[in-house]
Amino acid sequence: MTIYQFLLLFLLWVCLPHFCSPEIMFRRTPVPQQRILGSRLSRSDGKILHRQKRGWMWNQFFLLEEYTGSDYQYVGKLHSDQDKGDGSLKYILSGDGAGTLFIIDEKTGDIHATRRIDREEKAFYTLRAQAINRRTLRPVEPESEFVIKIHDINDNEPTFPEETYTASVPEMSVVGTSVVQVTATDADDPSYGNSARVIYSILQGQPYFSVEPETGIIRTALQNMNRENREQYQVVIQAKDMGGQMGGLSGTTTVNITLTDVNDNPPRFPQSTIHLRVLESSPVGTAVGSVKATDADTGKNAEVEYRIIDGDGTDMFDIVTEKDTQEGIITVKKPLDYESRRLYTLKVEAENTHVDPRFYYLGPFKDTTIVKISIEDVDEPPVFSRSSYLFEVHEDIEVGTIIGTVMARDPDSTSSPVRFSLDRHTDLDRIFNIHSGNGSLYISKPLDRELSQWHNLTIIAAEINNPKEMTRVAVFVRILDVNDNAPQFAVFYDTFVCENARPGQLIQTISAVDKDDPLGGQKFFFSLAAVNPNFTVQDNEDNTARILTRKNGFNRHEISTYLLPVVISDNDYPIQSSTGTLTIRVCTCDGRGNMQSCSAEALLLPAGLSTGALVAILLCIIILLVIVVLFAALKRQRKKEPLILSKEDIRDNIVSYNDEGGGEEDTQAFDIGTLRNPEAIEEKKLRRDIIPETLFIPRRTPTAPDNTDVRDFINERLKEHDLDPSAPPYDSLATYAYEGNDSVAESLSSLESGTTDGDQNYDFLREWGPRFNKLAEMYGGGDSDKDS
């Protein structure tokens, strides 16, 4: 029997006529006489009101929800004992849903529901009923309140808040471990029957999971579920009302369960032996290769730490763990040498860093592998016997002396010869040199410790067969001191002595310096070169000395300056000494010994003009004189330069003198007679384009004979210039303006045309325009003039 058939039978049974006629009876109770409510007249109508005992007998109405009939659903009947059945009474209904949801027959008092009612929307309705006289509209019974209660039926299935749940549980969990709890709700009335009683069951997900029927808690149901075998599970849970009985409504939800990882798998190397190769020239820190152990776990449960636990290469190699890739990177720990050893063996261990004590029985959580590293040969550069060299040499060593030897060899099995050289960038002064064959370093120039105490050199060793393979080494040369410098005054001393000085008076304290640096420190001795009657020196034995006077009183007018030679010597071997001369001026002092003036010449000098100022003035005068001489020399040199200054300019040049002259009549500016007579050339005529350095007498060239042709004249002048050693090295134009002898055609001038026999017609000049009118008149009027 389906649930719908069950509901249909239930409704038919409920709606039988003897059960479906609930009625409110207004039954009169026997009262001997009516009780008067009050004797006062009502102000409204003047009638006396009597209190009448209520004749209601009250019962609740019950109505089933979700009525599916076509007619209105019958609820119940209201009836008053004063209803005689003659239609004189009228029943009125008010309250929740009155007139809309619930209606009443005014004559019979039958109450009907106009539409289907859902209890889940409203569980009960409160209404008020009253019977009134139809004609007078006065109540015959007092208004009374009653309740229509909606009886629940199982019309709502259980529902889950979520259609899909997500949950997780650690793998390898024990049976019965709680995963998640799901809860379904039923909108039916939990207080009426089993409509809202929900029972949970599992439809999908067995045998891995189970659910508690009453609580909906999902638990693991299978032992040792392994995430590495299966990680995701989908479980379908059903919630059914009516206590899970037949005919109950149900709802389902899906729970996606993920097995989370635990560290239940140890790391494992895929190979028991791993082979790697590395060049012997690889520097320290170079990565040789990597090893990796696989772990079926994930996250921190798969983290592995690598270490080298054994082998003959523990000192030569190291291993570090790369966290991102979980690999062990093997690196070079010390320099490798193919010629010394060609194969190393390492035992590498990989171990989990996070071990779960619950799974110790699955251990150990580590694994080992053998790593064999082969060293490959390369052509290595020479190797020096030391990483650096230090040589010490005295500064007085002779040139050519060997100060030390560097040694280098080719580490390869071929053992190629090595050539040594000195990096000249580290020895710019070329003080040192090296033998290319044996590496002996020697001196090529004298040394001086006072100029440079240390020399930092770089020696290069290269293979002869392969010069590209080279190695550099630092060589430090320390120059040891030799006592080759004499001590000198520390500063220049400006010493004076007062005229009123007394014997034994201190006038100066002196000290000395020495460029040498003896091991025992500096020690100086001071003395006078000869006995001096005026001054003496007293050694303080602390590298200083005092200059004292020996006599009473000095006179600057007699002697204004004293020279005192002081001998300064050191105590090193060989002893070096020097003589320094102190210049002591005699000055006038006040009573406190303060200097006022020195020397008699100072009184004659103008105030404020010292010797240094005079020297400066003299130097300025000399500089000015030198500038004037240089300026004059440059100006003279500039005059000697040719008019064409560029030495590279060999083009033809025309020298323009801008001398127009006054024509033939100007006999003062230019002697034209020379052009007409070449024999009248000046004997001392000089070139005009340059300034002659020396005066020379031009060569006399044979003049052309009388009536010579112009061509012959020009050729003669050309030869003269070609043979002239003072001619400039470029072409020049010489203008002679030589007319030559009379031509055969005689004069071509038009001035004499009037004397010719033939007459000419110049009338055409008038046709040329007004500009030629004057010329036409001159030539056109010739005939009249001639005739006159």
Side-chain angles (χ1 to χ4, degrees):
M1 181 181 293
T2 64
I3 185 171
Y4 300 104
Q5 293 174 344
F6 175 79
L7 289 174
L8 182 59
L9 292 175
F10 178 75
L11 291 174
L12 290 175
W13 179 81
V14 170
C15 294
L16 289 177
H18 59 281
F19 286 102
C20 294
S21 58
E23 184 177 347
I24 295 180
M25 299 296 295
F26 298 99
R27 186 175 56 186
R28 178 76 60 187
T29 57
V31 179
Q33 60 180 5
Q34 293 182 349
R35 300 180 61 183
I36 299 176
L37 294 177
S39 59
R40 293 184 181 180
L41 295 176
S42 174
R43 294 183 181 179
S44 61
D45 54 4
K47 298 181 180 180
I48 300 175
L49 297 178
H50 298 276
R51 182 182 184 274
Q52 190 175 8
K53 188 175 181 180
R54 179 178 297 175
W56 300 97
M57 287 297 294
W58 179 246
N59 289 313
Q60 273 190 337
F61 292 123
F62 294 93
L63 183 64
L64 288 176
E65 66 171 338
E66 303 294 342
Y67 173 72
T68 58
S70 59
D71 298 332
Y72 288 164
Q73 185 179 4
Y74 182 75
V75 179
K77 185 180 182 64
L78 294 178
H79 184 72
S80 175
D81 56 359
Q82 295 187 12
D83 189 356
K84 306 301 182 180
D86 56 359
S88 62
L89 294 182
K90 180 181 179 181
Y91 294 96
I92 299 175
L93 188 65
S94 63
D96 295 340
T100 56
L101 181 58
F102 301 102
I103 59 175
I104 189 170
D105 191 334
E106 296 179 350
K107 296 180 180 181
T108 63
D110 293 333
I111 302 175
H112 292 81
T114 61
R115 60 178 174 84
R116 186 174 58 180
I117 299 175
D118 189 359
R119 188 202 65 84
E120 285 71 34
E121 294 181 0
K122 193 174 180 77
F124 62 91
Y125 296 86
T126 303
L127 294 96
R128 292 179 299 277
Q130 190 176 30
I132 63 174
N133 189 289
R134 186 178 295 273
R135 291 177 299 176
T136 62
L137 299 179
R138 293 182 178 180
V140 298
E141 296 287 347
E143 187 181 52
S144 182
E145 186 177 82
F146 66 96
V147 175
I148 300 177
K149 187 173 183 182
I150 310 301
H151 274 182
D152 183 44
I153 64 172
N154 190 17
D155 59 342
N156 292 280
E157 71 276 3
T159 58
F160 291 93
E162 302 288 341
E163 293 183 1
T164 303
Y165 290 85
T166 301
S168 62
V169 63
E171 64 173 331
M172 307 299 289
S173 298
V174 297
V175 176
T177 302
S178 175
V179 180
V180 68
Q181 182 179 14
V182 293
T183 303
T185 59
D186 196 320
D188 293 326
D189 189 2
S191 62
Y192 182 77
N194 293 327
S195 299
R197 183 186 175 195
V198 179
I199 297 298
Y200 301 93
S201 63
I202 184 167
L203 301 182
Q204 178 183 330
Q206 295 174 332
Y208 307 104
F209 299 94
S210 63
V211 62
E212 292 184 357
E214 300 292 339
T215 62
I217 297 176
I218 302 175
R219 299 182 183 275
T220 58
L222 189 63
Q223 183 73 21
N224 295 332
M225 286 190 294
N226 196 342
R227 184 198 64 85
E228 288 71 34
N229 296 332
R230 183 178 177 182
E231 185 176 2
Q232 299 289 337
Y233 294 87
Q234 190 176 70
V235 179
V236 178
I237 302 297
Q238 181 190 62
K240 189 175 183 180
D241 58 11
M242 299 298 292
Q245 297 177 4
M246 294 293 295
L249 302 179
S250 64
T252 60
T253 187
T254 301
V255 182
N256 294 323
I257 301 176
T258 303
L259 294 183
T260 58
D261 185 58
V262 297
N263 193 5
D264 58 340
N265 295 281
R268 290 288 180 264
F269 283 104
Q271 298 175 348
S272 59
T273 304
I274 301 174
H275 295 274
L276 299 176
R277 296 179 179 274
V278 63
L279 298 175
E280 64 170 335
S281 60
S282 300
V284 175
T286 301
V288 179
S290 63
V291 295
K292 185 174 183 180
T294 59
D295 194 323
D297 298 321
T298 59
K300 69 175 184 178
N301 297 320
E303 292 183 0
V304 178
E305 186 72 27
Y306 297 90
R307 64 177 64 90
I308 300 175
I309 59 175
D310 198 4
D312 54 11
T314 56
D315 294 337
M316 305 300 296
F317 299 93
D318 199 0
I319 189 169
V320 293
T321 302
E322 180 64 36
K323 297 297 182 181
D324 295 335
T325 61
Q326 289 298 304
E327 293 180 334
I329 310 299
I330 299 176
T331 58
V332 178
K333 189 176 180 180
K334 290 183 179 181
L336 304 175
D337 188 7
Y338 172 82
E339 288 72 26
S340 300
R341 187 166 190 146
R342 304 182 182 182
L343 181 65
Y344 292 91
T345 302
L346 304 175
K347 187 176 182 180
V348 179
E349 179 186 73
E351 183 180 9
N352 281 137
T353 55
H354 300 87
V355 180
D356 194 337
R358 296 177 299 171
F359 305 103
Y360 277 153
Y361 65 93
L362 299 176
F365 287 85
K366 57 185 176 181
D367 193 18
T368 59
T369 187
I370 301 299
V371 179
K372 294 186 177 182
I373 302 176
S374 300
I375 310 301
E376 295 184 352
D377 187 27
V378 295
D379 190 6
E380 299 177 271
V383 178
F384 283 94
S385 60
R386 301 179 189 175
S387 60
S388 62
Y389 293 85
L390 174 62
F391 299 139
E392 293 183 347
V393 59
H394 289 87
E395 60 178 326
D396 60 347
I397 191 172
E398 296 182 359
V399 174
T401 304
I402 296 175
I403 63 174
T405 302
V406 296
M407 300 178 62
R409 63 177 182 85
D410 183 9
D412 297 324
S413 56
T414 57
S415 186
S416 174
V418 177
R419 182 187 302 274
F420 298 93
S421 61
L422 180 61
D423 187 354
R424 288 302 176 184
H425 292 91
T426 60
D427 183 29
L428 298 177
D429 296 332
R430 297 182 176 270
I431 300 176
F432 302 91
N433 211 337
I434 191 171
H435 291 287
S436 60
N438 57 16
S440 298
L441 188 67
Y442 61 92
I443 303 298
S444 59
K445 288 184 179 180
L447 301 176
D448 190 355
R449 188 201 67 86
E450 286 71 34
L451 295 178
S452 180
Q453 187 175 357
W454 286 91
H455 295 273
N456 301 326
L457 309 177
T458 299
I459 304 299
I460 303 174
E463 295 182 9
I464 295 179
N465 299 333
N466 187 11
K468 294 182 179 179
E469 296 294 335
M470 61 178 62
T471 307
R472 298 171 179 266
V473 70
V475 178
F476 305 102
V477 181
R478 181 182 180 184
I479 310 302
L480 301 179
D481 184 44
V482 174
N483 192 24
D484 57 347
N485 291 280
Q488 298 176 350
F489 282 128
V491 294
F492 173 77
Y493 294 102
D494 185 12
T495 307
F496 69 93
V497 61
C498 296
E499 289 183 321
N500 57 355
R502 298 179 180 180
Q505 184 174 343
L506 175 64
I507 62 173
Q508 186 68 59
T509 299
I510 60 175
S511 62
V513 293
D514 195 336
K515 296 180 180 180
D516 296 322
D517 187 15
L519 296 177
Q522 300 283 1
K523 181 64 178 176
F524 303 123
F525 301 96
F526 300 88
S527 61
L528 293 179
V531 177
N532 191 294
N534 300 313
F535 305 97
T536 184
V537 61
Q538 183 177 351
D539 196 338
N540 296 328
E541 298 183 357
D542 59 354
N543 293 337
T544 62
R546 297 187 299 170
I547 306 300
L548 305 176
T549 59
R550 297 188 64 180
K551 70 176 185 176
N552 188 8
F554 294 87
N555 192 340
R556 58 173 175 159
H557 299 288
E558 296 178 357
I559 301 177
S560 61
T561 302
Y562 293 90
L563 299 179
L564 181 64
V566 179
V567 179
I568 310 173
S569 59
D570 55 23
N571 66 336
D572 203 357
Y573 182 81
I575 296 176
Q576 299 287 341
S577 63
S578 65
T579 301
T581 301
L582 280 178
T583 300
I584 304 175
R585 296 179 299 160
V586 180
C587 301
T588 302
C589 301
D590 56 12
R592 298 180 179 180
N594 297 322
M595 179 181 65
Q596 291 182 341
S597 63
C598 298
S599 73
E601 291 79 1
L603 299 176
L604 302 177
L605 296 176
L609 195 61
S610 61
T611 305
L614 294 176
V615 172
I617 294 173
L618 182 61
L619 288 176
C620 292
I621 295 174
I622 294 174
I623 292 173
L624 290 176
L625 291 176
V626 171
I627 292 175
V628 171
V629 172
L630 290 176
F631 180 77
L634 290 175
K635 187 174 181 181
R636 182 177 182 182
Q637 182 67 24
R638 194 173 299 168
K639 291 181 180 180
K640 294 181 181 180
E641 292 179 354
L643 296 177
I644 300 176
L645 299 177
S646 174
K647 296 182 179 179
E648 297 180 358
D649 191 358
I650 58 176
R651 299 171 298 174
D652 294 342
N653 295 274
I654 298 176
V655 180
S656 176
Y657 299 98
N658 295 324
D659 188 5
E660 294 184 2
E664 295 181 359
E665 297 178 358
D666 186 5
T667 58
Q668 300 297 328
F670 188 80
D671 188 4
I672 197 172
T674 304
L675 297 178
R676 298 187 181 277
N677 186 10
E679 296 180 354
I681 188 174
E682 295 179 4
E683 295 183 355
K684 295 184 180 181
K685 188 175 182 179
L686 302 178
R687 293 177 60 88
R688 299 178 61 187
D689 56 345
I690 63 172
I691 300 174
E693 295 182 358
T694 58
L695 296 177
F696 62 93
I697 300 175
R699 297 189 310 258
R700 294 298 303 270
T701 57
T703 60
D706 293 340
N707 300 325
T708 184
D709 191 70
V710 174
R711 181 181 302 172
D712 296 336
F713 175 78
I714 293 176
N715 289 334
E716 290 295 333
R717 289 292 181 268
L718 181 61
K719 290 182 181 180
E720 179 182 351
H721 283 281
D722 290 340
L723 298 177
D724 188 2
S726 61
Y730 48 83
D731 295 340
S732 61
L733 178 64
T735 302
Y736 300 103
Y738 179 66
E739 294 183 1
N741 296 329
D742 295 339
S743 63
V744 179
E746 295 182 350
S747 176
L748 298 178
S749 174
S750 61
L751 297 178
E752 298 180 359
S753 61
T755 61
T756 59
D757 296 337
D759 296 331
Q760 296 186 12
N761 186 11
Y762 296 99
D763 294 336
F764 64 89
L765 294 176
R766 301 181 182 275
E767 299 176 359
W768 287 3
R771 294 185 180 182
F772 295 92
N773 291 337
K774 185 66 176 177
L775 188 62
E777 293 176 358
M778 292 174 60
Y779 286 91
D783 294 340
S784 61
D785 294 340
K786 186 176 179 181
D787 294 339
S788 60

